Amino acid sequence: DARVTQTPRHKVTEMGQEVTMRCQPILGHNTVFWYRQTMMQGLELLAYFRNRAPLDDSGMPKDRFSAEMPDATLATLKIQPSEPRDSAVYFCASGLDWGGQNTEAFFGQGTRLTVV
Amino acid sequence: GQNIDQPTEMTATEGAIVQINCTYQTSGFNGLFWYQQHAGEAPTFLSYNVLDGLEEKGRFSSFLSRSKGYSYLLLKELQMKDSASYLCAVRDRSTSGTYKYIFGTGTRLKVLA
């Protein structure tokens, strides 16, 4: 049963602390996306990778956020230092970047982050 | 720039038909997707259109007009379990040939008994 796996599912942390979220994309998928979802903004694209190379992280606050793919089975999103306004659900999604039909993005269950 | 608009909320009755509209503006259109998201869960894929016309999948259908930048999702024979948010997303192709998915803010559908 192929699925995108995210850890942790929930995280509560104090302002100023470092937060690391992890994602295991579906085996064989070559694109990975990080989204942030809030009630007000919906799903915002933060960063995405193709074949582990970062393509576009313009949606990410660069001073505190960083995204990496150390290998094909792991993507990480780090916030340092965290702030209360970072509280949101962070979704990872993976897909196949070949431009063909039905190449939808598959989402993980998300990490619900609360910064107090 | 890129922009996707859809209504914030809709209400319908069990057994009825509801149409959720989506308008979009994008420079590198390469397909339109509809996702369903139940509260507290991940978005799940519903439908995909890349050519103009209607795609039917059981109780759900999706329509696309590329010239108008318009799509709709049609849900028939509504059931209580259809209460969820419905997200319209465009796959956008950049000049370098890479793809990304841009989402609307979603339409929260409430199905009443």
Side-chain angles (χ1 to χ4, degrees):
Chain A
D1 184 22
R3 65 179 74 183
V4 177
T5 305
Q6 289 186 248
T7 56
R9 292 291 309 277
H10 302 273
K11 177 73 175 178
V12 180
T13 191
E14 291 186 346
M15 183 173 64
Q17 295 298 305
E18 177 178 300
V19 174
T20 299
M21 290 169 269
R22 293 176 173 81
C23 168
Q24 181 176 355
I26 292 174
L27 189 65
H29 281 185
N30 67 338
T31 52
V32 174
F33 305 85
W34 281 106
Y35 289 90
R36 175 172 61 186
Q37 188 174 42
T38 60
M39 287 291 291
M40 295 301 294
Q41 299 294 329
L43 271 169
E44 300 174 274
L45 180 63
L46 297 176
Y48 70 109
F49 296 79
R50 183 191 193 198
N51 297 329
R52 295 178 54 203
L55 290 183
D56 183 352
D57 59 1
S58 58
M60 209 162 64
K62 305 275 192 316
D63 55 337
R64 299 184 301 108
F65 284 58
S66 61
E68 295 180 348
M69 272 200 82
D71 61 61
T73 64
L74 176 65
T76 62
L77 180 67
K78 191 174 295 186
I79 308 174
Q80 167 63 21
S82 57
E83 297 181 1
R85 60 180 166 151
D86 301 329
S87 297
V89 181
Y90 290 81
F91 284 104
C92 173
S94 72
L96 281 168
D97 185 9
W98 61 290
Q101 290 210 0
N102 296 330
T103 53
E104 70 267 28
F106 293 80
F107 282 80
Q109 290 300 303
T111 295
R112 183 175 295 275
L113 174 65
T114 303
V115 183
V116 298
Chain B
Q2 295 147 340
N3 193 45
I4 298 177
D5 287 314
Q6 50 181 132
T8 305
E9 239 179 53
M10 298 183 72
T11 302
T13 306
E14 197 175 15
I17 299 173
V18 71
Q19 178 174 314
I20 303 174
N21 296 323
C22 170
T23 58
Y24 65 89
Q25 288 176 308
T26 184
S27 53
F29 178 82
N30 195 259
L32 189 134
F33 296 78
W34 284 94
Y35 281 77
Q36 181 190 59
Q37 186 178 25
H38 284 100
E41 297 184 10
T44 54
F45 169 75
L46 280 180
S47 70
Y48 167 78
N49 296 70
V50 69
L51 300 176
D52 291 351
L54 189 69
E55 293 283 340
E56 297 187 76
K57 215 182 206 184
R59 293 189 299 116
F60 294 3
S61 304
S62 56
F63 172 83
L64 176 66
S65 169
R66 289 171 295 170
S67 62
K68 295 181 180 175
Y70 168 71
S71 173
Y72 68 72
L73 179 69
L74 194 71
L75 292 77
K76 302 176 189 172
E77 301 168 17
L78 279 173
Q79 302 175 9
M80 298 298 287
K81 66 177 181 179
D82 297 330
S83 293
S85 285
Y86 292 85
L87 309 175
C88 175
V90 168
R91 186 168 64 189
D92 182 76
R93 185 180 186 274
S94 70
T95 52
S96 60
T98 60
Y99 300 87
K100 61 184 178 184
Y101 300 84
I102 308 298
F103 283 82
T105 52
T107 299
R108 195 161 52 249
L109 174 67
K110 295 181 188 175
V111 179
L112 305 177

